[in-house]
Amino acid sequence: MSATIQEEPLLTREVEEVGPPLRLGGGKSSAASDRELASLLARGYSGVHEHSAPLHSFLEHSTLVLFPFLFGVTVYLSLARLYHLDVLWSLLLAIPLGIVAGDFVSGIVHWFADTYFTEDTPIIGRSLVKPFRLHHIYPRDICTHNLVEVAGNVCILAVPVLSLCLYLLWLLPDSRWLAFKVVCVSVVAITTVATNQFHKWAHQEDPSRLARWLQRTRLVLNPSHHQRHHTAPFNLHYCITNGWLNPFLNRIKFFRRIEAFLGLFGIRPTNVRERRSH
Ligand SMILES: [Zn+2]
Ligand SMILES: [Zn+2]
């Protein structure tokens, strides 16, 4: 059985910093509530279920319904185009390329949300920055999220991208290069939409047999591998689709170099916790 994430003992201090509205116990005695709360916190749960704002929730639900339809049509049309143009073999390159690119996109978005702006930033603060920052304090809250909460946020971005792909396929019907790129983008879309599910599996206390097999084979994010991200100095292993790119990005200090480059323009990380050793 693959290992599950062992959480860092940072909860008490972080809970005080964030001041979560912990709602537990109902009619139970306060001693029982306190024990239940302590157990949840020790295991990485906040005991609070956050909900999206109404408009954001509507977008999550509607794009989650639209995504499978758009994905199916885009893949069918681009594959038919490759077949018609006699270059179906290029799938052998397009699929792995799309998976690696998906892992890279997951790393970039994760690093950006972990590092820059704050929870109060307009638009992205509540929908992007806050979930990633809270994840470091309550890593197992993600295990309580339903399909809409897991995949909806990425679908909001993936649906317009796939719509653009369909428009371009219609505009340039004879382009092999475009059909190849659309297959790559479609693979990026499906892997990034699935990323939070893989991330959720990595934090589950008892993941399914299928999830454990996929984790063992490293086709999806492995819990031990992801543990590095939740370990001081908290600034490695940002890629969370399957983590294939993490060793390479660590070696070339990819994210530190981007941060140094952005620093030249006065853009500094806002999340100092990530860089503090315990
Ligand atoms: Zn993170
Ligand atoms: Zn995590």
Side-chain angles (χ1 to χ4, degrees), residues 20-233:
L22 295 160
R23 300 184 296 267
L24 285 170
K28 297 178 188 173
S29 69
S30 68
S33 287
D34 288 349
R35 276 199 300 278
E36 190 177 341
L37 172 59
S39 166
L40 281 172
L41 290 175
R43 286 154 53 218
Y45 299 96
S46 68
V48 176
H49 200 113
E50 296 257 346
H51 294 282
S52 302
L55 175 61
H56 189 212
S57 176
F58 168 75
L59 290 173
E60 286 178 322
H61 281 80
S62 54
T63 54
L64 185 67
V65 170
L66 271 174
F67 177 79
F69 171 74
L70 275 176
F71 177 75
V73 172
T74 308
V75 168
Y76 174 77
L77 290 178
S78 52
L79 291 188
R81 193 70 54 83
L82 290 177
Y83 178 76
H84 178 70
L85 297 170
D86 228 10
V87 285
L88 197 56
W89 57 265
S90 62
L91 276 183
L92 295 174
L93 184 60
I95 292 174
L97 205 59
I99 293 173
V100 171
D103 196 37
F104 184 64
V105 169
S106 78
I108 289 284
V109 173
H110 183 178
W111 160 78
F112 179 79
D114 271 9
T115 310
Y116 294 102
F117 297 105
T118 70
E119 297 171 19
D120 299 321
T121 304
I123 302 176
I124 63 166
R126 185 169 171 184
S127 60
L128 182 68
V129 176
K130 187 177 180 182
F132 276 109
R133 304 284 169 97
L134 280 178
H135 176 65
H136 299 138
I137 303 166
Y138 307 112
R140 286 211 169 107
D141 270 5
I142 192 174
C143 305
T144 67
H145 293 171
N146 62 30
L147 179 64
V148 176
E149 292 161 321
V150 164
N153 232 1
V154 185
C155 285
I156 293 174
L157 300 173
V159 160
V161 170
L162 290 181
S163 303
L164 177 65
C165 287
L166 282 175
Y167 173 68
L168 292 173
L169 284 174
W170 173 77
L171 205 65
L172 302 166
D174 298 321
S175 171
R176 294 176 181 178
W177 187 225
L178 175 68
F180 174 80
K181 283 192 282 193
V182 168
V183 172
C184 289
V185 170
S186 301
V187 176
V188 171
I190 191 72
T191 51
T192 50
V193 164
T195 287
N196 276 336
Q197 182 62 50
F198 303 155
H199 189 194
K200 175 179 172 177
W201 284 342
H203 283 282
Q204 278 182 332
E205 295 178 84
D206 188 20
S208 67
R209 288 179 65 174
L210 171 66
R212 292 203 303 268
W213 180 78
L214 290 169
Q215 290 169 343
R216 268 200 308 276
T217 54
R218 306 274 170 159
L219 288 171
V220 305
L221 186 65
N222 179 280
S224 304
H225 178 90
H226 185 51
Q227 169 70 25
R228 286 283 304 277
H229 182 69
H230 289 272
T231 305

